[in-house]
Amino acid sequence: MSLRPVRLHIATAVLLLATATAWADEMERVLPVAHAATQKECGECHMAYQPGLLPAASWNRVMDGLADHFGDKATLPDAVAADIRAYLTRNAGRGDGRLLRISEQRWWLHEHDFRADVWRRKEVGSKANCEACHRLAGQGDYDH
Amino acid sequence: MKLSLTFAAAAALAAGSAFAAGGQRAALLDTLAAQAAKETPGFAGFSAERGRALYLGPHAGGKAETNACAACHTQTPTATGRHYKTGRDIPPMAVSATPKRFTDPAEVEKRFERDCPNVLGRACTAQEKGDFITYLSGQ
């Protein structure tokens, strides 16, 4: 892909970044969403993000705030919301639980250190539009 | 002003294989018509023309970035839309392009509940919902 930055040489990799890199490599593939309600209700306005992309605390915050979800109203019937919350938190990954966004997590920022105009390209539009760059993101494959 | 049923039936016939979908859409429009008759004094059927105006806007009252349904569903209902913020594709709203449109009442109601406040700053009336579906059934 044209946006692919030059990978850091292992030899030159800064020790500080090592953890983030190791995490990200684990993330080349995350388990696909295997829960019908999550796929349907959380996959309308953007792709249904895989549970492994955020820690449980972040998912809980997202689910607590659906009435004002990044400026949109995304409320769901209580039973459906509880079901989705259970699925997301049970299969959650790691990261900083104080952050709501995947695109604010350290590992993510480290992998996506692009020039600002990349995000403004018409076909990208938003950091949250994973599928614009990762064609197979919907299947949990971020290696493409 | 044509009656909604004519539109839905015509769409269903044209689509052929989408006949069942047309039936479900017609049933949904019937429900909305019964509601509109109670809500709106002088209600005399749905109007594709009013539906078009709702779709294209611009409207005041909602969010500035989304002052029309077209902000995400595009000016051309047969074209693939795009969520104004997330960039995600939205399949065309025109029934001719997406025959499954407006066939799942719960799904349709959920989206009206979310999308109308974003655009109008208030809920849509039953008449507006029926107008909207009638317009897109003919597209």
Side-chain angles (χ1 to χ4, degrees):
Chain A
M1 127 188 6
S2 57
L3 284 168
R4 200 171 271 253
V6 182
R7 283 249 198 179
L8 284 177
H9 246 276
I10 307 275
T12 59
V14 193
L15 194 67
L16 258 177
L17 299 180
T19 347
T21 312
W23 273 25
D25 283 342
E26 274 174 37
M27 305 276 279
E28 282 178 15
R29 265 161 225 279
V30 293
L31 281 182
V33 173
H35 185 247
T38 303
Q39 188 66 52
K40 176 163 179 286
E41 304 299 346
C42 305
E44 271 182 5
C45 303
H46 44 65
M47 63 169 273
Y49 303 117
Q50 290 84 13
L53 293 171
L54 281 178
S58 300
W59 285 127
N60 274 321
R61 283 160 162 266
V62 169
M63 296 308 293
D64 285 341
L66 289 181
D68 183 0
H69 179 72
F70 304 97
D72 270 22
K73 184 170 179 286
T75 34
L76 291 167
D78 289 346
V80 181
D83 188 29
I84 291 175
R85 183 196 294 262
Y87 170 72
L88 290 172
T89 51
R90 212 180 323 113
N91 297 282
R94 289 185 286 170
D96 185 341
R98 288 166 304 180
L99 300 175
L100 272 179
R101 287 183 183 267
I102 302 156
S103 59
E104 283 171 349
Q105 298 287 337
R106 259 177 54 145
W107 66 264
W108 195 95
L109 292 171
H110 173 60
E111 285 286 341
H112 299 86
D113 185 14
F114 313 144
R115 292 187 323 270
D117 62 312
V118 166
W119 305 113
R120 288 194 293 267
R121 281 187 200 172
K122 198 176 173 302
E123 61 288 2
V124 177
S126 164
K127 293 182 180 181
N129 192 9
C130 320
E131 285 170 310
C133 304
H134 304 281
R135 271 175 305 112
L136 303 176
Q139 295 152 43
D141 182 349
Y142 291 94
D143 201 21
H144 289 90
Chain B
M1 195 186 304
K2 291 222 176 72
L3 273 180
S4 58
L5 230 84
T6 331
F7 274 90
L13 279 174
S17 66
F19 197 82
Q24 283 159 318
R25 210 158 28 245
L28 176 55
L29 280 169
D30 283 347
T31 313
L32 287 170
Q35 242 173 296
K38 272 188 235 153
E39 269 175 27
T40 311
F43 172 73
F46 294 126
S47 146
E49 201 41 51
R50 281 196 309 256
R52 182 169 178 275
L54 172 63
Y55 185 91
L56 290 176
H59 304 282
K63 290 195 249 170
E65 313 93 298
T66 54
N67 64 359
C69 311
C72 293
H73 294 299
T74 80
Q75 296 280 334
T76 317
T78 46
T80 297
R82 192 161 202 258
H83 193 283
Y84 81 101
K85 202 158 170 196
T86 67
R88 170 148 239 219
D89 282 355
I90 303 176
M93 288 304 267
V95 169
S96 64
T98 313
K100 264 186 29 218
R101 281 291 175 213
F102 316 116
T103 53
D104 176 346
E107 183 62 27
V108 171
E109 190 47 40
K110 185 185 78 191
R111 286 308 320 193
F112 274 130
E113 254 171 51
R114 279 183 192 156
D115 293 346
C116 292
N118 277 335
V119 174
L120 305 173
R122 59 166 176 84
C124 283
T125 63
Q127 173 169 308
E128 284 169 328
K129 294 175 189 173
D131 290 345
F132 186 81
I133 296 176
T134 301
Y135 165 58
L136 293 163
S137 299
Q139 292 297 301

